[in-house]
Amino acid sequence: MSERRPQTPAEADGTTGLFVALGKMVRLLRERKGLTQKEFGELVGYGPDAVSAMERGVRTLRPEVLLKADELLDAGGLLKEVVPEVEEAMAKTRTRHPEWYRDYAGLEAEAVSLYDYSTMGVLGLLQTEDYARAVFTQRHPPLDEETIEKRVTDRLSRQQLFEKWPPPECSFVLEQAVLERPIGGPSVHAGQLRRLLDLGRMRNVQLQVMPTARAEHPSLGGSFTLLIPKGREQVAYMEIQGYPRLITGREEVRVLAARYGIIRAQALNPHESLDFIEKMLEER
């Protein structure tokens, strides 16, 4: 099967150049100010991975970030001046994906609630840039470097879901083995655990860990996602070995929703789960 990657929102509507140019400007101003990506991110409310993605044009530089950056980086109004154009570009953008993924991607982008149970690896919506790159680099048969970078870009673009207002209600349950699997090596693994802690502390996110020691388990059939798009009924999505399935039948969705409720009940509660992840980081 030939590689057909999903376009980012900017590519879909021809605004790639705008966001790439703005990213370069912010990077230059940041470096002139002597700030690292981490330091700048802390000032504008984003992590270093997100700042890196913005500076490369992979992730949209939102108006509120530009307004803060203009003052923090002594841009003299340069960044404020382009806010109307950015708002216009954002109004035009829409996410496109390959045919096999397009229906679900559109529903995910407009979700008012999203629940996911992960058994093998961290869900793409929760991955750091380094973790995502490690996942695609380890894929077999191997992917070429250009394809890897394209897929990383597309994966990060989906994470703008967390920037919506009002934000969607999200619940994520991860098997303990997912957290223990050091994809990408010690540094990447630690960064991913810290990312999960940050997400788990968001007011609209509940993150839970399913302990391996549980003697009973309601769902040994694999990962799945449940979501409710705005104004529509709940749907489910699952993907096994690259074979996707979007489930819209009420009875099938009802069964998975009931199963997810049991999974949440048997997992550690959100506070216990964050403590569990923090302990993992301390013991590294």
Side-chain angles (χ1 to χ4, degrees):
M1 182 176 179
S2 60
E3 171 64 23
R4 292 186 299 165
R5 75 176 179 92
Q7 291 178 295
T8 62
E11 290 175 320
D13 287 274
T15 54
T16 301
L18 171 63
F19 294 123
V20 170
L22 283 174
K24 289 181 177 179
M25 290 167 58
V26 169
R27 177 178 57 81
L28 180 61
L29 290 168
R30 173 183 61 77
E31 291 176 346
R32 284 184 176 178
K33 194 71 174 178
L35 295 173
T36 65
Q37 289 180 335
K38 181 179 180 181
E39 291 169 339
F40 176 65
E42 290 174 348
L43 293 172
V44 296
Y46 286 87
D49 287 341
V51 172
S52 172
M54 290 176 189
E55 291 184 347
R56 291 182 288 110
V58 170
R59 187 167 181 162
T60 302
L61 267 162
R62 300 179 66 83
E64 59 269 25
V65 177
L66 289 170
L67 292 174
K68 290 181 181 178
D70 192 276
E71 182 177 348
L72 292 168
L73 304 179
D74 298 328
L78 180 66
L79 299 178
K80 288 183 180 179
E81 189 69 20
V82 298
V83 166
E85 284 72 23
V86 170
E87 291 176 334
E88 181 180 355
M90 289 176 63
K92 293 179 181 178
T93 58
R94 54 193 172 91
T95 304
R96 291 184 178 177
H97 296 271
E99 293 177 6
W100 61 265
Y101 189 76
R102 189 170 297 155
D103 289 344
Y104 172 77
L107 296 174
E108 181 187 82
E110 61 183 50
V112 295
S113 69
L114 187 149
Y115 312 133
D116 181 83
Y117 168 55
S118 296
T119 63
M120 299 301 294
V122 175
L123 181 69
L125 278 175
L126 310 181
Q127 292 177 7
T128 65
E129 181 175 352
D130 289 338
Y131 186 100
R133 184 170 290 106
V135 168
F136 291 125
T137 300
Q138 296 170 11
R139 184 70 59 85
H140 287 278
L143 301 172
D144 60 66
E145 293 301 319
E146 181 181 2
T147 298
I148 290 171
E149 291 307 311
K150 288 176 180 177
R151 291 197 178 186
V152 170
T153 295
D154 299 327
R155 178 153 294 181
L156 294 179
S157 73
R158 290 171 51 208
Q159 296 179 6
Q160 294 184 57
L161 176 76
F162 293 110
E163 300 169 19
K164 290 172 50 179
W165 189 264
E169 290 295 328
C170 297
S171 167
F172 304 102
V173 180
L174 297 85
E175 286 287 339
Q176 179 179 335
V178 171
L179 301 176
E180 294 174 338
R181 186 169 291 119
I183 298 295
S187 178
V188 173
H189 184 215
Q192 182 61 66
L193 293 179
R194 286 192 288 269
R195 169 67 170 163
L196 292 175
L197 287 175
D198 290 340
L199 290 168
R201 294 183 181 118
M202 295 177 67
R203 288 185 296 161
N204 63 307
V205 174
Q206 290 195 337
L207 190 147
Q208 295 176 255
V209 177
M210 175 66 82
T212 303
R214 287 285 189 262
E216 297 180 0
H217 200 298
S219 182
L220 296 176
S223 304
F224 62 90
T225 303
L226 293 160
L227 62 84
I228 301 178
K230 186 176 183 179
R232 304 194 198 183
E233 293 188 354
Q234 188 174 48
V235 299
Y237 176 81
M238 57 183 67
E239 183 180 338
I240 301 175
Q241 294 295 328
Y243 292 92
R245 185 182 177 208
L246 180 64
I247 303 170
T248 58
R250 288 185 179 179
E251 181 59 20
E252 287 185 275
V253 173
R254 183 195 67 78
V255 169
L256 287 171
R259 191 172 296 162
Y260 189 78
I262 300 173
I263 290 172
R264 291 185 70 178
Q266 293 189 353
L268 300 177
N269 69 41
H271 292 296
E272 293 170 337
S273 298
L274 294 182
D275 288 343
F276 183 91
I277 297 173
E278 287 179 338
K279 186 176 180 181
M280 287 185 66
L281 276 168
E282 291 172 359
E283 293 176 348
R284 292 178 52 80

